[in-house]
Amino acid sequence: MADVNRGDRPLSPHLQVYRPQLTSITSIFARITGVALLGAAVLVVAWFFAAAVGPECYAVVNGLMTSFLGDVIMFLALWALCYHALSGLRHLIWDIGLGLEVETAEKMGIGVIIGSVVLAIIVAIIV
């Protein structure tokens, strides 16, 4: 039989009920960086495509990609790659059943944030 009181029941707890936690925010940000990496990959493919089209097209795209704005975008893409990789490693550790205690999970979240920044800077300096 259909539930006639369906409209009177409260909705499931959502963002207005739960306080954001570091672990949930870092997991959401892992998804955001994954989408951002797709955008960065499109830019790199466009760069290669411009090189295949001809020198004039390549000069325009290369000028944009090697400008200050292009350098900032590529560094942010590098940081997103480092963050996404470290976050994926954290999720892999969770999947095998380790680090699930609240304190450990929060320390791992802080480690992912700090580690991604440090790793991106190190890679940018080396490359």
Side-chain angles (χ1 to χ4, degrees):
M1 183 160 118
D3 186 3
V4 293
N5 293 325
R6 185 169 181 87
D8 295 334
R9 293 187 305 183
L11 297 173
S12 297
H14 198 255
L15 297 176
Q16 70 271 20
V17 176
Y18 289 120
R19 181 179 58 88
Q21 299 171 355
L22 180 65
T23 53
S24 63
I25 292 191
T26 53
S27 290
I28 291 167
F29 217 77
R31 290 166 176 83
I32 292 171
T33 55
V35 172
L37 287 171
L38 181 62
V42 168
L43 289 176
V44 172
V45 168
W47 200 0
F48 289 142
F49 183 74
V53 168
E56 299 85 16
C57 186
Y58 177 73
V60 171
V61 175
N62 190 50
L64 291 172
M65 294 295 285
T66 57
S67 68
F68 177 74
L69 180 61
D71 287 343
V72 169
I73 290 171
M74 286 296 113
F75 179 77
L76 290 176
L78 173 63
W79 172 79
L81 180 65
C82 294
Y83 182 91
H84 197 74
L86 290 177
S87 183
L89 183 62
R90 177 182 64 145
H91 279 272
L92 186 64
I93 292 169
W94 285 349
D95 287 345
I96 60 174
L98 299 174
L100 295 174
E101 299 80 24
V102 174
E103 289 181 23
T104 306
E106 287 184 355
K107 287 178 184 176
M108 289 173 74
I110 292 169
V112 166
I113 294 168
I114 294 171
S116 65
V117 171
V118 170
L119 187 59
I121 291 171
I122 290 171
V123 170
I125 289 173
I126 292 172
V127 174

